[in-house]
Amino acid sequence: MSRPTPLALTALALPLVASALVLSSCAATVDRMADAAGRAVDRQVDYRTDRAVRSAIDGMFDAGENAVRCVFTDQACIERAQRDGAPVVMTDARGTPVDRSGTPVTTANAEDAVVRAGGPGVSGVDANYDFVPGERALFEEDFSRDNVGDFPRRLTFREGSMEIVSYAGGRALQAKTDGEFDVVLPETAPETFTVEIDYFGNEDYNDFRFFFVGPDGERAGTNAIVVDNYAGTGVGRLVREDGVVEAVQDDRRIQTQTLPIRVMADGAYVKVFVGEERVANVPNADLGRSDRLRFELTDVRQKPIYFASIRVAAGGRDLYGALQAEGRVVTEGIFFDTASATLQPESFAVVQEIAAMMEEHPDLRIRIEGHTDNTGDAASNQSLSERRAAAVRTMLTGLGIAASRLESAGMGQTQPVASNDTEAGRAQNRRVELVRL
């Protein structure tokens, strides 16, 4: 079989099952986690007899790491431990070490039972995850305004078989064959920018790449971002122009999960993320810049692949400057589990950014405001917004910011910034704002 030979900044294995598509990071709710624990208890194999697992877990206590045991559904216990800077060993109600979904761990994944200290309300975020979405959107599409069966109006079709399909309560661009399409920006991408893609593939061969092109259709730079599922190998690799492999990321986890792709570029410095993990960190990439981002689907076989959303934004936001100039700023990249005040792992980088800003400006005091869309009743949304704002405040105090400098308030659904008639509008209304006091 011939393999595509584009110059690549990174190639990330992403074998995802199309029938399991979801339109978000899909962190499990407490009810789903409890169901998973119930199924685990019914399993015939008693994982509590796995001495190697217990040895791995108990070794933390013996090493003086001040670890705390928490039932995996007890978020209050986890948050208390993390406020104290202690790692958490998660168990089910019977004391069996479990991972974040409530599934008993084995010798192969014992570390999954450990939540490292990283601030309350966040489970297992990678310490290297520092992605912060660009503030000013240059292109943002979730295909909610397109008709099923059509090609998206805001994309430029070049070739292939692609159409909008309904999926998981929303819409996505489905590609059945190799092909190409362009994302046209209103201006040349700046030196600092971000790209966010929610991509859903399958367990077969399927690749796509994206790169900037000039007016002549040729690449603006010598590198491209490549997402590669080569026979389900689960290996991402970073390749320079001469073909020398600079780094290898062997992450078998991404063969079984739906994970977003994120790219953050600052001049020649480019970072690539899959889910909550940073998989590439390149100081000398050559992506070039233009106003056209080309997507090439290069090895789609038998089963279709899907793009649920694409966002390109000018990056490099100055939170403090915005607060000083406008008195308030909408944060980008703080997300919660559905109908929950539990922060999703990718939110940690943004909260860290807020904490760093407050450390740099010790006289600054802020109010954290939670906002919701109008799904559900107003009283529930009011309560949810209050708890979400409080969760961010709690995390900031856990990162060393004095509680006296922080207030939190919930606004519920009373202050929408977009129409609640579309998913894109509702997503904008579900937000966290910072207000200078």
Side-chain angles (χ1 to χ4, degrees):
M1 169 200 122
S2 63
R3 298 289 297 138
T5 57
L7 302 177
L9 170 63
T10 185
L12 308 176
L14 200 59
L16 308 172
V17 180
S19 62
L21 299 183
V22 290
L23 300 182
S24 70
S25 298
C26 300
T29 63
V30 169
D31 287 342
R32 290 176 59 196
M33 293 165 71
D35 289 341
R39 291 193 299 271
V41 169
D42 292 335
R43 294 183 181 182
Q44 295 180 359
V45 179
D46 188 348
Y47 286 95
R48 289 180 299 166
T49 63
D50 190 333
R51 295 182 180 179
V53 172
R54 286 208 176 273
S55 176
I57 298 300
D58 291 341
M60 296 184 61
F61 295 89
D62 296 337
E65 290 191 32
N66 195 32
V68 175
R69 295 184 190 269
C70 291
V71 175
F72 77 106
T73 56
D74 189 350
Q75 188 65 29
C77 174
I78 295 172
E79 291 182 358
R80 282 195 302 271
Q82 293 201 309
R83 278 198 298 271
D84 293 335
V88 178
V89 174
M90 293 185 292
T91 72
D92 64 16
R94 304 196 319 181
T96 304
V98 296
D99 64 18
R100 298 175 187 92
S101 68
T103 303
V105 296
T106 67
T107 53
N109 66 345
E111 190 66 16
D112 289 345
V114 178
V115 179
R116 296 292 178 184
V122 169
S123 296
V125 65
D126 189 330
N128 291 322
Y129 187 91
D130 55 356
F131 177 80
V132 177
E135 178 185 29
R136 182 168 59 90
L138 302 176
F139 180 92
E140 193 164 12
E141 184 60 80
D142 66 357
F143 309 112
S144 61
R145 293 169 292 181
D146 291 299
N147 298 321
V148 171
D150 290 351
F151 182 81
R153 287 172 290 180
R154 296 188 64 208
L155 299 181
T156 300
F157 176 80
R158 289 180 54 80
E159 61 178 313
S161 177
M162 294 172 275
E163 64 181 7
I164 294 295
V165 297
S166 296
Y167 195 87
R171 294 180 181 176
L173 174 62
Q174 179 193 74
K176 299 179 180 179
T177 67
D178 294 359
E180 295 181 6
F181 63 84
D182 289 350
V183 169
V184 179
L185 308 177
E187 61 190 63
T188 297
E191 285 297 285
T192 303
F193 70 90
T194 59
V195 179
E196 302 170 71
I197 303 168
D198 287 325
Y199 168 71
F200 310 98
N202 60 64
E203 72 274 17
D204 253 337
Y205 297 85
N206 54 83
D207 307 335
F208 80 89
R209 64 182 75 99
F210 56 99
F211 47 85
F212 288 107
V213 296
D216 57 359
E218 297 296 321
R219 288 189 186 175
T222 60
N223 294 114
I225 307 295
V226 179
V227 177
D228 179 10
N229 171 28
Y230 181 59
T233 56
V235 178
R237 57 194 181 276
L238 172 64
V239 185
R240 289 184 58 82
E241 183 175 358
D242 57 8
V244 175
V245 176
E246 294 188 271
V248 174
Q249 177 73 17
D250 189 349
D251 188 346
R252 303 291 163 162
R253 180 189 63 137
I254 60 179
Q255 294 186 16
T256 59
Q257 296 184 24
T258 297
L259 299 173
I261 301 161
R262 304 290 185 252
V263 176
M264 185 164 63
D266 185 356
Y269 207 120
V270 178
K271 299 178 182 180
V272 182
F273 307 81
V274 175
E276 72 279 7
E277 295 188 11
R278 188 175 71 199
V279 298
N281 187 14
V282 190
N284 58 346
D286 177 20
L287 291 179
R289 299 293 190 275
S290 76
D291 62 354
R292 186 173 294 258
L293 195 60
R294 177 153 301 168
F295 285 70
E296 287 187 352
L297 319 180
T298 58
D299 201 5
V300 181
R301 305 186 186 185
Q302 299 179 3
K303 298 179 181 179
I305 61 176
Y306 301 82
F307 297 85
S309 66
I310 301 172
R311 183 178 190 263
V312 183
R317 173 189 49 187
D318 182 354
L319 280 177
Y320 183 73
L323 280 173
Q324 290 297 99
E326 303 172 21
R328 66 169 56 232
V329 62
V330 177
T331 64
E332 298 285 349
I334 293 183
F335 303 108
F336 300 85
D337 289 355
T338 302
S340 168
T342 298
L343 285 147
Q344 293 182 359
E346 55 264 42
S347 305
F348 188 42
V350 181
V351 180
Q352 282 185 309
E353 181 188 18
I354 298 170
M357 172 190 68
M358 299 198 71
E359 288 177 353
E360 185 176 351
H361 302 280
D363 295 332
L364 177 65
R365 296 178 62 247
I366 62 172
R367 181 173 65 249
I368 303 153
E369 292 185 352
H371 298 262
T372 71
D373 59 27
N374 67 350
T375 303
D377 64 84
S380 296
N381 287 333
Q382 178 63 35
S383 174
L384 179 61
S385 68
E386 292 171 0
R387 289 186 285 115
R388 286 180 168 178
V392 176
R393 181 178 185 272
T394 300
M395 182 179 291
L396 285 169
T397 60
L399 291 172
I401 306 303
S404 60
R405 301 175 59 194
L406 303 167
E407 295 181 5
S408 66
M411 302 301 170
Q413 62 190 52
T414 62
Q415 297 181 9
V417 294
S419 171
N420 280 304
D421 294 335
T422 67
E423 176 52 37
R426 290 190 292 272
Q428 292 182 59
N429 293 332
R430 298 188 297 266
R431 68 193 189 279
V432 172
E433 293 192 22
L434 306 180
V435 180
R436 177 169 52 85
L437 297 177

